[in-house]
């Protein structure tokens, strides 16, 4: 079809120097066919064309009925006029139809065509002009109306809809010819052998044309920001902790962190518990550690050091520090339940991993820096800023002689690498850190202070049961991965960032992120 149309376009243009308008010349030919023919001719400079964007008025089904039979108000007037002695209001729908009676009666009253006397309708004019019908007939012929107010009124009455129509104005090009000469796209062996290549027209290369888009994978924005965080940690000398256990026992997730068994965080409304199996074994050395290529940041202790890593003693120490107190602490003084400690949960924070790694460090105490970035789960009500699962960024520093001032100074350096240089610290409470601080940063884009993390120094009740030296101190801090990602990419609803509502175009089109850049 496009091949036939190219010849027709050239034939029409050859008859005069006036431009050709496709909207009037080819009204019934599909847009894609017209565009294809014009592109073929335009690529050979036989024609030039420009696009014309126009809004046209299209009659609705109701309006088409009006152009054929008259408007609702005209039907009402005609029915009343024919009733010499007046027309009862209740009889009108049976004569003109329910829709026409409902819509046309009010319009006829407004125009002054009819009047009401008691329960009768009487004609108030000898004749009328059906303006609505005439307006719609004009639009039916021309797809428009010279009076903008008329168009607006008809749209309100839902008699017309506006439709965007694209057409073209076509003119002769610098290489215009009446005949369309076929251009060869390939130089074949046969052409070279016969000499036909001397007389054929070869299609020139279009070096400006865009190639086909190559489908490829794309990193999710969370992964882009996660990569940036990992680079910051590695730059500062941290080692990454293994975070491949989504399911933890209450011991590692709560008890080892000195979180009492009556704490609200352990309630069903805050935590996801596993129903089958309900419980796990007591803490023990992971039998798969030696099989992994990367068993974690802490090196395997020697046989002598392994004796220090007594999981049974660790279990008893944690129990004792909860029930009766130990290491200078009075504890919580409640009957600690073994079954509660062995319940399986979806981990509520990656601090459970930090605890496991710090216990391994106790076999060979030394300065160390660890970090983790992975998914955690909490039984939260889903809304624009909360999900039942999210990603936690956590850092841990173990060393001798650490102080709170050192933690504040380190936070300023760490968040400075993220581009956040204005920080405030607010005292807070955590069961496993003392002192504890909430961290606030001033966000220039939002022009306000926002909470960006939580931090503190791990309590002796958490560290000493592991076997770590009394004079070893451990910094811990964490923040979500989602909040900085939402800020950087301008996402207001977390469900558009993670979950089934994520737009794949959003994932594919967003650039890499640099946390220290705006």
């Amino acid at each position: 079809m496009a091949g036939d149309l190219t010849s027709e376009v050239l034939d029409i243009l050859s008859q005069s120097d006036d431009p050709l308008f496709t909207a009037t010349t080819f009204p019934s030919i599909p847009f894609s066919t017209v565009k294809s023919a014009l592109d073929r001719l335009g690529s050979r400079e036989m024609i030039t064309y420009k696009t014309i964007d126009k809004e046209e008025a299209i009659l609705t089904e109701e309006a088409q009925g009006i152009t054929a039979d008259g408007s609702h108000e005209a039907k009402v007037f005609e029915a009343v006029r024919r009733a010499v002695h007046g027309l009862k209001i209740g009889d009108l729908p049976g004569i003109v139809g329910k829709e026409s009676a409902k819509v046309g009666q009010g319009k006829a009253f407004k125009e002054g065509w009819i009047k009401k006397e008691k329960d009768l309708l009487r004609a108030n004019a000898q004749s009328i002009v059906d303006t609505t019908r005439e307006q719609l007939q004009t639009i039916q012929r021309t797809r428009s109306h010279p009076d903008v107010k008329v168009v607006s009124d008809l749209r309100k009455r839902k008699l017309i809809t506006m439709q965007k129509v694209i057409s073209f104005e076509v003119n002769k090009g610098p290489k215009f010819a009446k005949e369309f000469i076929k251009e060869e796209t390939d130089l074949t062996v046969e052409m070279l052998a016969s000499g036909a290549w001397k007389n054929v027209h070869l299609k020139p290369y279009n070096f400006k044309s865009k190639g086909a888009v190559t489908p490829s994978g794309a990193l999710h924005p969370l992964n882009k920001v996660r990569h940036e965080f990992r680079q910051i940690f590695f730059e500062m000398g941290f080692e990454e902790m293994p975070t491949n256990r989504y399911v933890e026992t209450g011991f590692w997730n709560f008890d080892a962190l000195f979180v009492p068994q009556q704490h609200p965080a352990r309630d069903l409304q805050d935590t996801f518990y596993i129903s089958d199996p309900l419980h796990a074994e007591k803490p023990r050395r992971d039998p798969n550690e030696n099989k992994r290529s990367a068993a974690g940041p802490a090196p395997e202790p020697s046989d002598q050091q392994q004796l220090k890593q007594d999981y049974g003693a660790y279990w008893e120490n944690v129990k004792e520090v909860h029930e009766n107190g130990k290491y200078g602490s009075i504890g919580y003084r409640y009957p600690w339940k073994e079954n509660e400690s062995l319940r399986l949960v979806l981990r509520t924070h990656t601090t459970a991993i930090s605890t496991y790694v710090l216990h391994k460090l106790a076999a060979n105490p030394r300065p160390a820096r660890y970090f983790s970035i992975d998914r955690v789960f909490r039984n939260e009500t889903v809304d624009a800023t909360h999900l039942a699962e999210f990603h936690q960024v956590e850092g841990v520093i173990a060393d001798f002689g650490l102080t709170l001032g050192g933690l504040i100074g380190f936070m300023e350096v760490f968040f400075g690498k993220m581009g956040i240089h204005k920080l405030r610290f607010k005292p807070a409470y955590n069961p496993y850190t003392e002192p504890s601080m909430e961290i606030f940063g001033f966000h220039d884009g939002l022009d306000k202070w926002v909470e960006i993390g939580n931090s503190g120094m791990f309590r002796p009740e958490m560290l000493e049961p592991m076997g770590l030296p009394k004079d070893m101190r451990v910094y811990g801090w964490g923040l979500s991965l989602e909040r900085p990602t939402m800020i950087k990419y301008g996402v207001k609803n977390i469900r558009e960032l993670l979950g089934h509502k994520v737009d794949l175009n959003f994932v594919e089109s967003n650039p890499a992120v640099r946390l220290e850049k705006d």
Side-chain angles (χ1 to χ4, degrees):
M1 183 65 186
D4 298 335
L5 193 61
T6 55
S7 300
E8 193 172 346
V9 169
L10 294 175
D11 185 54
I12 294 172
L13 287 174
S14 67
Q15 296 174 14
S16 72
D17 292 329
D18 296 330
L20 178 155
F21 295 94
T22 60
T24 54
T25 309
F26 310 116
S28 60
I29 296 178
F31 171 82
S32 58
T33 304
V34 174
K35 184 69 165 62
S36 177
L38 297 183
D39 284 341
R40 287 186 70 187
L41 294 171
S43 66
R44 293 161 175 79
E45 299 184 13
M46 299 179 73
I47 64 162
T48 60
Y49 67 90
K50 61 181 180 180
T51 304
I52 301 173
D53 291 336
K54 184 181 178 183
E55 268 201 332
E56 292 187 350
I58 307 298
L59 299 187
T60 63
E61 186 177 346
E62 181 184 353
Q64 291 172 3
I66 291 175
T67 59
D69 305 321
S71 65
H72 301 303
E73 55 269 27
K75 290 179 182 178
V76 170
F77 171 77
E78 191 61 29
V80 174
R81 187 184 65 80
R82 285 198 297 264
V84 179
H85 301 293
L87 182 65
K88 287 187 177 181
I89 296 175
D91 295 339
L92 184 62
I95 299 173
V96 301
K98 289 183 179 180
E99 185 65 23
S100 291
K102 178 181 177 182
V103 177
Q105 191 177 162
K107 186 73 174 173
F109 274 122
K110 184 178 179 181
E111 295 291 338
W113 297 348
I114 62 175
K115 60 184 179 180
K116 183 180 178 183
E117 293 180 357
K118 296 183 179 179
D119 62 338
L120 295 176
L121 296 175
R122 296 185 183 277
N124 197 36
Q126 294 297 321
S127 62
I128 62 167
V129 176
D130 194 348
T131 307
T132 302
R133 185 182 189 183
E134 291 180 352
Q135 291 168 346
L136 291 174
Q137 287 174 338
T138 300
I139 290 174
Q140 191 176 42
R141 290 192 306 271
T142 64
R143 299 289 183 94
S144 63
H145 196 281
D147 192 339
V148 178
K149 290 183 178 179
V150 170
V151 175
S152 177
D153 180 57
L154 293 175
R155 287 184 69 182
K156 288 179 182 178
R157 295 176 63 183
K158 297 183 179 179
L159 295 176
I160 62 171
T161 59
M162 302 307 295
Q163 178 178 298
K164 185 177 180 181
V165 177
I166 301 175
S167 60
F168 304 96
E169 178 187 329
V170 187
N171 290 279
K172 294 177 181 178
K175 296 183 180 180
F176 176 80
K178 188 174 180 180
E179 183 181 354
F180 182 81
I181 301 172
K182 182 182 178 182
E183 292 182 330
E184 299 292 341
T185 56
D186 297 305
L187 184 63
T188 64
V189 175
E190 291 77 13
M191 289 180 188
L192 294 173
S194 64
W197 64 271
K198 298 177 182 177
N199 301 317
V200 299
H201 290 267
L202 293 172
K203 185 177 180 179
Y205 282 106
N206 183 3
F207 293 103
K208 295 182 179 179
S209 64
K210 295 181 179 179
V213 177
T214 304
S216 61
L219 286 175
H220 191 280
L222 280 173
N223 280 336
K224 294 176 184 177
V225 177
R226 179 179 182 273
H227 172 76
E228 187 71 5
F229 269 112
R230 292 180 80 240
Q231 296 306 112
I232 291 173
F233 277 116
F234 288 138
E235 178 186 323
M236 301 182 76
F238 283 75
E239 300 175 68
E240 190 165 14
M241 295 182 278
T243 56
N244 54 343
R245 293 200 303 269
Y246 286 167
V247 178
E248 289 284 2
T249 62
F251 178 83
W252 290 111
N253 200 79
F254 297 118
D255 292 295
L257 275 70
F258 199 53
V259 177
Q261 292 184 343
Q262 302 85 4
H263 195 279
R266 301 178 76 149
D267 292 342
L268 283 173
Q269 62 264 30
D270 293 313
T271 301
F272 291 108
Y273 285 91
I274 307 300
S275 59
D276 185 21
L278 281 171
H279 300 95
E281 299 177 7
K282 289 184 178 182
R284 57 180 172 79
R285 187 167 178 266
D286 189 346
N288 295 319
E289 271 186 353
N290 291 332
K291 299 177 183 179
R292 297 195 196 103
S293 58
E300 288 299 313
S302 65
D303 293 339
Q304 184 178 359
Q305 292 168 341
Q306 184 65 39
L307 295 174
K308 299 179 182 179
Q309 209 167 6
D310 187 336
Y311 285 88
Y314 184 32
W315 170 270
E316 292 299 327
N317 287 340
V318 170
K319 177 182 178 181
E320 185 68 16
V321 82
H322 277 256
E323 278 193 335
N324 304 310
K326 200 174 182 181
Y327 311 107
S329 170
I330 63 173
Y332 291 116
R333 291 176 290 182
Y334 69 94
W336 187 81
K337 297 178 182 178
E338 181 175 306
N339 282 344
E340 181 67 24
S341 187
L342 296 179
R343 290 181 71 183
L344 288 170
V345 303
L346 289 179
R347 67 181 181 210
T348 60
H349 47 193
T350 52
T351 315
I353 300 296
S354 302
T355 307
Y356 181 77
V357 171
L358 287 172
H359 178 246
K360 289 175 66 179
L361 181 68
N364 180 22
R366 68 197 187 283
R369 294 185 174 196
Y370 303 132
F371 81 93
S372 64
I373 307 173
D374 212 338
R375 190 169 297 188
V376 297
F377 308 86
R378 294 182 188 174
N379 195 358
E380 302 239 14
T381 301
V382 176
D383 58 27
T385 56
H386 296 86
L387 289 176
E389 54 181 304
F390 60 97
H391 295 78
Q392 183 174 334
V393 181
E394 180 159 333
V396 173
I397 298 179
D399 207 341
F400 299 94
L402 297 179
T403 63
L404 181 65
L407 173 60
I408 292 174
F410 183 84
M411 290 295 97
E412 291 174 343
V413 175
F414 177 78
F415 284 101
K417 290 182 177 293
M418 296 167 51
I420 302 174
H421 299 283
K422 299 177 183 177
L423 295 180
R424 285 180 179 174
F425 300 90
K426 176 184 174 183
Y429 169 75
N430 288 311
Y432 44 89
T433 57
E434 180 61 37
S436 307
M437 299 183 298
E438 290 176 349
I439 308 169
F440 292 82
F442 187 81
H443 190 274
D444 293 325
L446 301 175
D447 195 30
K448 66 176 183 179
W449 292 90
V450 295
E451 185 181 352
I452 56 176
N454 212 317
S455 65
M457 300 180 69
F458 286 132
R459 297 177 67 109
E461 293 96 330
M462 172 186 165
L463 301 178
E464 293 191 34
M466 299 176 180
L468 288 170
K470 285 183 176 292
D471 56 346
M472 175 167 272
R473 302 287 181 264
V474 180
Y475 295 153
W477 73 95
L479 63 152
S480 78
L481 184 64
E482 281 74 7
R483 174 164 287 183
T485 305
M486 291 174 69
I487 291 173
K488 281 294 178 182
Y489 286 100
V491 178
K492 294 183 179 179
N493 191 328
I494 194 171
R495 289 168 289 195
E496 296 174 3
L497 181 68
L498 189 64
H500 66 282
K501 292 186 177 181
V502 175
D503 183 0
L504 291 181
N505 290 326
F506 165 75
V507 175
E508 294 171 356
S509 61
N510 272 296
V513 69
R514 293 293 179 267
L515 293 176
E516 77 281 4
K517 302 291 184 182
D518 291 330

